Amino acid sequence: MRRFFFDPLSRKEDTLFLAEEESRHVAKVLRLPVGSEMELFDGQGTVYRAIVVATGRRVEVRIVGVVARDEGAGKTLWVGQGILKGEKMDTVVQKCTELGASRFSPFESSRCQGKADPAQNRKRHERWQRIGLAACKQCMRPKLMQIDAPTNLSDLLRGTDVTVRLLFWEEEKDVRLQDIPDLQKAQSVALLLGPEGGFSPEEVDLARQVGWLTVSLGGRILRAETATLTAVSIVQFLIGNL
Ligand code: SAM
C-alpha cells in the first residue's frame, strides 16, 4: 500500500491535511479518489492506516488504525560526514537513510571544497531533509533519520556523547573494525568520515585527544562516498541493525 508522510503537529484528533507536496502526489499523480486507503507515517516511528476524505490542494485524510509502532529500543548509529561536493552528498544521505543510520551530521573541515554561506547551508540542509524523507518512504522506514544542520568538525568532535566513536582514516595501519572490542555490544556508535580531501593530521590529533579511535577500512584508499557506505554497512551489520 502507498505510504505518505504527515507532520504529527497537523493532526486534529483523527483527521489531518497532508502537506501540498504529498497532496499533489495523492491527487494529481496517483489520482486516488475519496475513500482510498493509504498508509501514513509520522517520521517518529508510527505507521497508520488512513482513508482519503477529500481531495484538493491539501488532501484531507482520516486515520482509522495503527499498522506498526517502532518503540525505539534499537541500537543507534550516528554518522558524521565531511561535506562532499554536489550529488555525492545526496547519495550518501539517501543510502545512510536506507541503511538505517539514526542521525546524520554534515560538517565542514579544513579540506572541504567550497565553503557555503549561511543561506546556502540552510538550502542544502532542507534539500538533504527532503532526500531523507523520500528515502524513508521508498524503503518503508517509519522513523526519519535525524539530519542536522551543517556544523564544523571541532564542534562535532566535542559534542558527540557516544561511547564508541570511530574516525575512519586511510593512514591508520593497525586498527580495523574487527579489532575494536565491544563494538558488537555497543548501544550507540558514532562514525566520522572525511570529505574528498580527507582529514588533516591536526584534525586527526584533535579527534584522538577527545576520545575518537582511528580505524582503517583496508589498504586501498576508497572514494569518500564508498568509504561511508562501507563503514555504515559493516557497523550496522556488527551491531545487529542489518
Ligand atoms: N586524504 C586522501 C586523499 O586526498 O588522497 C583520501 C581521502 S578519502 C577519498 C575520503 C575519506 O574516506 C577519508 O577521510 C576517510 O574517512 C575515508 N576513507 C577512504 N579510504 C579509507 C580507508 N582505507 N580506511 C579508512 N578510511 C578511509
Side-chain angles (χ1 to χ4, degrees):
M1 195 179 298
R2 294 279 181 172
R3 186 176 287 187
F4 300 91
F5 173 74
F6 77 100
D7 178 350
L9 296 176
S10 68
R11 178 174 173 178
K12 289 210 174 71
E13 297 187 350
D14 283 337
T15 58
L16 57 101
F17 290 90
L18 297 179
E20 282 188 24
E21 208 172 315
E22 294 294 71
S23 297
R24 201 173 323 114
H25 198 195
V26 171
K28 295 255 160 59
V29 180
L30 299 171
R31 296 179 177 276
L32 296 184
V34 169
S36 301
E37 276 195 26
M38 60 168 64
E39 283 185 358
L40 287 183
F41 77 112
D42 59 4
Q44 298 177 352
T46 307
V47 181
Y48 300 90
R49 199 160 58 81
I51 287 174
V52 176
V53 174
T55 54
R57 209 163 60 87
R58 301 277 309 272
V59 168
E60 187 179 356
V61 297
R62 183 158 45 83
I63 290 176
V64 293
V66 172
V67 177
R69 192 165 267 145
D70 175 347
E71 304 297 346
K75 297 181 173 185
T76 59
L77 181 69
W78 183 350
V79 181
Q81 173 68 62
I83 295 176
L84 306 174
K85 279 197 348 199
E87 289 184 4
K88 284 189 244 167
M89 197 66 181
D90 299 351
T91 304
V92 170
V93 169
Q94 184 190 62
K95 303 304 175 206
C96 284
T97 308
E98 288 173 42
L99 290 166
S102 340
R103 182 168 175 186
F104 186 87
S105 304
F107 65 85
E108 301 263 15
S109 58
S110 64
R111 295 185 179 170
C112 280
Q113 300 171 30
K115 305 273 186 274
D117 62 33
Q120 289 169 320
N121 266 340
R122 240 189 335 273
K123 265 186 140 176
R124 51 189 190 173
H125 184 213
E126 284 168 10
R127 175 180 171 80
W128 296 329
Q129 286 180 314
R130 279 198 303 277
I131 290 170
L133 175 57
C136 271
K137 286 169 68 176
Q138 180 274 323
C139 72
M140 305 294 251
R141 172 180 169 155
K143 207 170 192 172
L144 293 175
M145 177 171 78
Q146 178 183 334
I147 303 176
D148 297 328
T151 183
N152 62 64
L153 179 60
S154 43
D155 287 351
L156 191 59
L157 287 176
R158 294 198 173 84
T160 313
D161 183 21
V162 172
T163 40
V164 178
R165 286 173 290 165
L166 310 176
L167 181 149
F168 288 83
W169 192 35
E170 59 284 0
E171 292 187 40
E172 170 58 57
K173 300 297 171 221
D174 300 322
V175 183
R176 294 193 181 201
L177 280 169
Q178 57 267 39
D179 304 320
I180 295 165
D182 296 337
L183 178 56
Q184 300 190 10
K185 288 190 234 141
Q187 277 306 310
S188 57
V189 180
L191 313 181
L192 216 52
L193 291 119
E196 291 92 340
F199 292 106
S200 69
E202 296 75 24
E203 288 168 341
V204 173
D205 280 349
L206 176 63
R208 283 174 161 160
Q209 282 165 28
V210 294
W212 290 77
L213 196 63
T214 49
V215 189
S216 166
L217 285 171
R220 293 172 300 275
I221 296 181
L222 307 177
R223 284 191 184 269
E225 62 277 27
T226 312
T228 303
L229 301 182
T230 305
V232 170
S233 303
I234 298 173
V235 172
Q236 285 289 67
F237 175 75
L238 290 174
I239 66 177
N241 281 350
L242 264 191

